[in-house]
Amino acid sequence: MEKAPPEEPSSFSSKDDSDPSLAGTADPPESPMAETKKEEEDETSTVLEKSIEPEKEETNEAENPPAEDGADGEEKEEEEGEGEGEGRGSDGDDAVHSFGKVIEDIDGVLSFLAAANAEVETATAVLEGHQKRSVQRLLDLVQARALNYIVDSQEAKSVWGQCPDDDSSFLQAVARVSKLNSSLDPSKWGERSGDLINRVGSIHHQAMAFLADEFRSLLEDCKPIITSDEDNADVPPEQEDHPDHQITDKDSDRALRYPHEIVSNLSKIAREMMAGNYETECCQVYVLMRQISIGEQLFMTGFEGISIDDVQKMPWETLQHEITKWVEALKQSARVFFPSEIKLIDGVFEGNSETSAYLFHGLTIGFMVQLINFAEAVAISKRAPEKLFKFLDMYEAMRDMEPVLNGLFGEYDEYEFIKLEMVTARSRLGESTVSIFCDLENSVRSDTGKNVVPGGAIHPLTRYIMNYLELTCEYKETLEQVFRDHLKIERADSNNRSEFQGSGEGYGNYADPSENHSQFSIQIGKIMALLDTNLEAKSKLYRDTALSSIFMMNNGRYILQKVKGSREINELMGDNWRRKKSSDLRHCHKTYQRETWNKVLGCLRDDHGLTVNGKVVKPELKERFKSFNAMFDEIHRTQSLWVVCDEQLQSELRVSISAVVIPAYRSFLGRFSQTFTPGRQTEKYVKYQSEDLETYIDDLFDGKKKP
């Protein structure tokens, strides 16, 4: 269809503006697009002509002089229009004038109907001839324009918005049809107006169906524009309420903004459909189309609805990826998608708060149920230590987004069960988290393997528990909340102290739980105490007491360094624990030196057996050097294979050994080496020089076999 140029708006003008149906006439008007109408429409016009003729005869000049004058005027206008029709093309001014005249006449008819409905109580009221003609003229215009839209839409997805003046005129006309439809009560206007009333209802339904189609097409075209907060930072405060800036979410990393022109057109159509008592149809179309859009947005996060059975069967490697997607979907829904949808609904259904709330609930409830069902499915899945952190991620996401979602849904009654389901799902995740974390006690307690770690190195259990606790303490605040909530549930269920509170006996600094120690910190203390007990038992598996001490030093030092390296664990364990642990390490160090080097140093003592009456007992001296050489060789051979993982501890051990052995040996050697005959005898018994000892001591604890 060719559009009239902007300077000559052709609102509601047909393709041939000279059509006499657009001018006033004393006879019933013909359709402006008679050549394209269906046969039943022609039949309806014929019936209308017959029904109007008697009314013309009944019209009395004295009773209703303005109507007769108006009819004469309309006849003149029609004659003028027919006379000029062949001599001009599409005259925009005349089209606007014709449309304005029709609207003016209909407003008069509506005023008449309002007055008549207020006064007439029986079925005696009759529309006058010129009033019927005005109504027919309006119906023809609406029907013709709708047909033009339909023809144009065959070439484009949606023609709405291409000519705003035409759209506005069409909506004005539809608004009058809606008012006529609600005002023409068959019980009051009798059988003589029945055909007209039927046609009004039919055209009204056609117009609403057409608007619903256009509404659907516009919603298909209403795609979100993703922007960042920086994009909205320059929006002046006075423009924040402007529709163009209305569909944004400034509280999120991403905001969705919808084209102002489309939102404005949607709002106009929605307003007319609701005014025409087609609110239900309008809402149905909106919910259907927007559900598709929100579903696409959620799909972009990677999350797809997964059944409870599928979650139970899914391998953990796959499920943990799905959990990551779920967390993102929940956060984006609460921070971006849902707030943006609220603003879009408010923009389209402006001033209808109840409708907006109803639509938002209808749109989002299904997605919320999907998200909650997934959380509950994960919560009841098989528990394992490696699942703890993903469970905590889900718990935190639900906890943090819950107030956001509550703010979005407000006090809407239908959302109450969603609130309850969210609380229930989060509680189940919390209970699963407590169960998994407390199973860590059982893991430590049940690790009773009899195999020793070669070289006294760090036991795998120590590494696992400390790394696990280090990661766990990154969720310290969340876990404290989880244990706190769990304790409330336990107390509510049994009025007894929670099994996780316990008496605390035998757990170091946590023997007497107080308000300063959270349930989580008490649980950490229990696990640490159990780990120490387990390691002490494992150290007894070593036959060599010195190696047992090295094992305890390795594991104790690793634990201490892990605690110091984690601010959260450090705060939980406290200064007293650190001082005690350091003391235990010093004790192990002394035990090692005593068990390993005291016998060696015994060879270097100048006691009574080595000298008699001031003279050196040479055989005894030889035995002393032989014993020292043998013991030092054995220590070097075995303890070079031992492992001290911490470089600082390794250095401290070597330095402490050198500090006691080398000075004693140097002194002994300086005093008695001259006793031997220089040459072969000296080389036989004096195997090491002081510098040699230092070199060999530096080979200790590196876990390598020496030649």
Side-chain angles (χ1 to χ4, degrees):
M1 165 181 143
E2 301 240 346
K3 298 292 181 184
E7 64 273 10
E8 294 183 2
S10 58
S11 302
F12 276 92
S13 59
S14 67
K15 294 186 178 181
D16 183 1
D17 285 332
S18 62
D19 195 322
S21 66
L22 297 181
T25 177
D27 298 321
E30 296 181 2
S31 169
M33 294 187 64
E35 66 275 14
T36 61
K37 285 189 175 181
K38 297 179 180 179
E39 292 183 5
E40 57 267 24
E41 294 170 359
D42 294 332
E43 294 174 1
T44 301
S45 298
T46 303
V47 172
L48 287 171
E49 290 176 8
K50 294 179 180 179
S51 65
I52 292 173
E53 287 299 329
E55 294 172 13
K56 290 174 62 179
E57 297 174 0
E58 292 172 4
T59 303
N60 188 290
E61 182 176 343
E63 295 178 8
N64 195 1
E68 189 173 87
D69 292 341
D72 293 337
E74 289 171 358
E75 290 175 358
K76 293 179 180 179
E77 288 176 10
E78 183 178 6
E79 291 173 359
E80 292 175 0
E82 291 173 348
E84 295 177 1
E86 296 177 359
R88 59 175 174 86
S90 176
D91 189 336
D93 291 337
D94 287 350
V96 172
H97 174 74
S98 299
F99 174 74
K101 184 65 170 62
V102 172
I103 294 298
E104 182 181 350
D105 290 346
I106 292 300
D107 288 341
V109 172
L110 291 170
S111 298
F112 169 74
L113 291 175
N117 283 328
E119 296 176 0
V120 179
E121 296 182 357
T122 60
T124 58
V126 180
L127 283 175
E128 301 297 338
H130 77 283
Q131 293 171 330
K132 281 194 173 184
R133 287 193 295 274
S134 297
V135 172
Q136 293 286 11
R137 193 173 296 117
L138 175 69
L139 298 179
D140 288 343
L141 289 174
V142 170
Q143 189 175 45
R145 188 54 190 159
L147 288 173
N148 286 341
Y149 272 121
I150 293 170
V151 171
D152 292 343
S153 66
Q154 295 175 355
E155 302 176 0
K157 191 172 184 180
S158 174
V159 297
W160 199 271
Q162 294 182 8
C163 185
D165 289 340
D166 283 358
D167 298 340
S168 177
S169 299
F170 181 72
L171 290 176
Q172 289 182 51
V174 171
R176 268 64 177 189
V177 174
S178 296
K179 291 179 180 179
L180 286 170
N181 189 56
S182 61
S183 299
L184 289 172
D185 185 352
S187 65
K188 289 188 177 183
W189 296 99
E191 297 180 358
R192 297 180 61 186
S193 300
D195 291 339
L196 180 62
I197 293 174
N198 290 339
R199 188 173 185 227
V200 168
S202 175
I203 297 300
H204 180 253
H205 178 74
Q206 292 177 28
M208 290 298 147
F210 165 73
L211 288 179
D213 288 340
E214 288 303 306
F215 196 65
R216 180 183 293 103
S217 296
L218 287 171
L219 285 170
E220 288 180 356
D221 296 337
C222 192
K223 302 298 182 183
I225 304 169
I226 299 177
T227 61
S228 64
D229 286 344
E230 290 79 4
D231 296 330
N232 299 318
D234 297 331
V235 178
E238 61 273 12
Q239 294 185 14
E240 289 184 356
D241 293 332
H242 190 278
D244 195 24
H245 302 289
Q246 190 177 12
I247 316 302
T248 60
D249 178 16
K250 297 183 179 180
D251 296 329
S252 63
D253 297 330
R254 296 187 307 161
L256 303 182
R257 182 170 59 85
Y258 294 89
H260 166 56
E261 183 179 356
I262 292 180
V263 174
S264 177
N265 286 327
L266 286 169
S267 178
K268 292 173 183 177
I269 293 177
R271 191 181 305 117
E272 292 306 326
M273 291 188 71
M274 294 174 72
N277 293 324
Y278 273 69
E279 179 177 359
T280 300
E281 291 77 3
C282 181
C283 292
Q284 287 175 345
V285 172
Y286 187 90
V287 169
L288 176 63
M289 300 307 298
R290 291 307 301 166
Q291 277 182 337
I292 295 173
S293 179
I294 296 177
E296 291 174 349
Q297 293 167 10
L298 283 175
F299 181 77
M300 294 299 292
T301 67
F303 174 74
E304 298 181 30
I306 304 174
S307 69
I308 294 178
D309 289 341
D310 289 340
V311 170
Q312 304 303 316
K313 298 174 184 177
M314 193 173 291
W316 173 242
E317 293 75 13
T318 304
L319 182 57
Q320 62 182 338
H321 292 304
E322 293 300 325
I323 290 175
T324 301
K325 297 173 185 177
W326 178 90
V327 170
E328 179 67 13
L330 179 64
K331 290 181 177 179
Q332 289 297 322
S333 295
R335 291 175 175 169
V336 182
F337 303 147
F338 290 175
S340 299
E341 195 61 36
I342 284 180
K343 293 178 181 179
L344 177 59
I345 291 174
D346 289 343
V348 175
F349 298 90
E350 185 177 3
N352 292 277
S353 57
E354 291 186 4
T355 300
S356 296
Y358 167 79
L359 286 173
F360 180 65
H361 176 268
L363 276 172
T364 56
I365 198 72
F367 297 111
M368 286 302 304
V369 168
Q370 233 180 45
L371 292 168
I372 292 172
N373 284 345
F374 179 84
E376 291 185 338
V378 172
I380 63 176
S381 63
K382 185 178 179 181
R383 294 164 185 173
E386 65 271 13
K387 294 184 178 182
L388 176 70
F389 307 108
K390 286 298 181 182
F391 277 35
L392 287 169
D393 287 341
M394 295 182 70
Y395 183 93
E396 286 184 343
M398 297 191 77
R399 177 199 63 194
D400 296 342
M401 294 302 106
E402 189 174 311
V404 178
L405 290 168
N406 289 344
L408 292 175
F409 285 90
E411 301 300 324
Y412 198 60
D413 292 340
E414 279 72 5
Y415 181 62
E416 289 303 317
F417 91 93
I418 287 292
K419 291 181 181 179
L420 180 61
E421 288 298 315
M422 282 194 67
V423 171
T424 302
R426 181 163 63 89
S427 178
R428 287 176 179 171
L429 283 170
E431 290 300 300
S432 297
T433 298
V434 170
S435 177
I436 291 173
F437 189 75
C438 292
D439 282 345
L440 201 60
E441 281 187 47
N442 299 329
S443 298
V444 177
R445 197 178 279 113
S446 61
D447 192 316
T448 57
K450 301 298 181 180
N451 296 327
V452 298
V453 180
I458 299 170
H459 197 280
L461 178 65
T462 305
R463 291 186 185 275
Y464 174 76
I465 294 297
M466 293 312 300
N467 287 329
Y468 196 89
L469 292 180
E470 185 179 25
L471 290 173
T472 299
C473 284
E474 293 181 3
Y475 297 86
K476 175 176 173 288
E477 293 182 1
T478 301
L479 279 166
E480 286 180 342
Q481 179 183 354
V482 168
F483 273 89
R484 192 163 52 246
D485 293 343
H486 171 76
L487 184 60
K488 291 178 182 178
I489 295 173
E490 288 290 312
R491 285 174 174 170
D493 288 345
S494 62
N495 292 324
N496 294 323
R497 301 179 73 189
S498 168
E499 63 174 306
F500 304 109
Q501 183 175 1
S503 65
E505 294 180 0
Y507 293 108
N509 296 330
Y510 301 91
D512 184 19
S514 69
E515 61 183 2
N516 295 325
H517 294 141
S518 67
Q519 291 302 308
F520 173 62
S521 64
I522 293 171
Q523 192 65 25
I524 290 286
K526 288 182 179 183
I527 293 172
M528 295 291 282
L530 280 171
L531 179 60
D532 284 343
T533 302
N534 189 293
L535 290 174
E536 189 174 347
K538 293 183 184 302
S539 70
K540 291 180 170 56
L541 298 175
Y542 293 96
R543 296 180 179 179
D544 190 330
T545 305
L547 182 55
S548 174
S549 297
I550 291 294
F551 173 79
M552 291 300 293
M553 277 191 285
N554 269 324
N555 286 272
R557 185 62 170 252
Y558 181 82
I559 292 171
L560 185 61
Q561 293 301 104
K562 278 290 185 180
V563 170
K564 288 182 177 179
S566 170
R567 179 178 61 84
E568 292 82 5
I569 304 182
N570 200 22
E571 291 176 354
L572 288 173
M573 301 310 297
D575 293 335
N576 291 337
W577 180 90
R578 287 192 300 274
R579 283 193 291 268
K580 184 179 183 304
K581 199 67 181 177
S582 297
S583 176
D584 291 342
L585 288 175
R586 287 193 296 271
H587 176 72
C588 291
H589 191 164
K590 290 178 181 179
T591 301
Y592 162 76
Q593 283 201 329
R594 184 179 66 250
E595 294 294 329
T596 302
W597 298 102
N598 276 4
K599 292 180 181 180
V600 176
L601 293 174
C603 298
L604 305 177
R605 289 192 183 96
D606 182 9
D607 53 22
H608 296 291
L610 189 58
T611 58
V612 178
N613 297 325
K615 292 184 179 180
V616 177
V617 181
K618 206 168 186 179
E620 180 66 20
L621 180 61
K622 291 179 181 179
E623 191 63 32
R624 292 283 187 95
F625 271 105
K626 286 172 64 178
S627 297
F628 176 85
N629 293 338
M631 283 191 285
F632 189 84
D633 286 346
E634 179 64 17
I635 290 172
H636 180 263
R637 184 183 65 81
T638 58
Q639 296 194 13
S640 295
L641 298 176
W642 293 3
V643 177
V644 175
C645 304
D646 184 83
E647 292 183 0
Q648 184 178 350
L649 177 60
Q650 186 185 70
S651 176
E652 289 173 358
L653 283 169
R654 290 170 178 173
V655 168
S656 66
I657 294 168
S658 298
V660 296
V661 175
I662 293 176
Y665 184 78
R666 185 182 290 117
S667 174
F668 188 83
L669 186 63
R671 185 175 178 182
F672 297 107
S673 63
Q674 302 301 322
T675 304
F676 297 113
T677 303
R680 198 173 78 180
Q681 194 177 46
T682 301
E683 293 176 358
K684 181 178 179 180
Y685 295 104
V686 182
K687 185 176 181 179
Y688 298 106
Q689 296 298 318
S690 301
E691 295 78 8
D692 298 331
L693 292 181
E694 187 169 0
T695 300
Y696 284 112
I697 288 173
D698 285 343
D699 289 337
L700 303 179
F701 317 122
D702 63 3
K704 298 177 182 178
K705 186 176 181 179
K706 301 300 175 184

